[in-house]
Amino acid sequence: MSDDLIQVGRVAGAFGVRGELRLTSFTADPLALIDYRNLLRENGAPALTVTSGRAAKGSVVVWTAEVQTRDQAEALRGLKLYVRRADLPAPDEDEFYVTDLIGLSVETLEGEPLGRVKAIQDFGAGDLLEIQPPTGPTWYLPFTRAAVPQVRISEGKVIAVLPDEVE
């Protein structure tokens, strides 16, 4: 996968009998998938051209130029959908795209290395940074201002306060 592609959704399956697709959105506003219009495959090739859509029970239902039947829609189940990084709006201050955090080094306030951000997880109680230390198993750090007072994207690092040190 190219670094300039960001996954924004996945085809969850067919909706109805006339070729509509149900999409799972990974965007803050699920309907943004409709606005992106030209969705790409993992290799950057065109995947779907959204012509219209609507919200529907936790997902987005869309019509696309490429799909006319339920069978065609079902055949796309699981297809990951991407947009180019340049097509995304710039994040607001103190907002970050998950992809920008992956791979950043993690250090204490004193500069002691703790590892690298392996992934961002949310098990229902808020975002957690999954930290891969130089050796040993990964561990989780709450992605809150108390536990992560600074994110320095331009420097490639996250400043962390270990949980037993958080006030």
Side-chain angles (χ1 to χ4, degrees):
M1 177 179 71
S2 171
D3 288 342
D4 71 338
L5 296 179
I6 307 295
Q7 187 178 3
V8 293
R10 176 179 42 79
V11 175
F15 184 86
V17 296
R18 295 191 178 142
E20 286 181 292
L21 289 167
R22 180 183 298 271
L23 305 180
T24 300
S25 176
F26 303 147
T27 59
D29 174 10
L31 295 178
L33 289 179
I34 298 166
D35 296 334
Y36 291 129
R37 186 170 156 75
N38 296 308
L39 301 173
L40 306 173
R41 294 176 181 272
E42 189 171 4
N43 65 1
L48 298 172
T49 305
V50 178
T51 57
S52 66
R54 65 189 183 282
K57 295 183 182 178
S59 63
V60 179
V61 174
V62 299
W63 287 102
T64 68
E66 297 80 7
V67 178
Q68 285 79 42
T69 69
R70 179 177 179 82
D71 288 342
Q72 289 173 325
E74 278 299 324
L76 294 174
R77 181 185 297 270
L79 175 66
K80 295 176 182 177
L81 303 169
Y82 297 81
V83 296
R84 298 207 181 285
R85 176 70 162 91
D87 293 338
L88 296 173
D92 291 334
E93 187 177 339
D94 284 340
E95 286 187 346
F96 310 96
Y97 287 115
V98 168
T99 191
D100 294 339
L101 299 173
I102 305 298
L104 294 182
S105 65
V106 182
E107 300 177 1
T108 65
L109 290 167
E110 295 76 28
E112 177 187 344
L114 298 172
R116 294 205 168 271
V117 177
K118 178 180 179 181
I120 313 298
Q121 306 289 347
D122 185 345
F123 301 112
D127 290 333
L128 298 169
L129 299 181
E130 184 176 357
I131 310 298
Q132 178 65 63
T135 60
T138 62
W139 54 278
Y140 294 101
L141 180 70
F143 192 36
T144 62
R145 181 156 315 273
V148 184
Q150 297 177 28
V151 175
R152 301 178 186 167
I153 299 281
S154 62
E155 296 176 36
K157 66 174 130 180
V158 171
I159 305 302
V161 176
L162 296 176
D164 57 347
E165 299 174 16
V166 176
E167 297 175 4

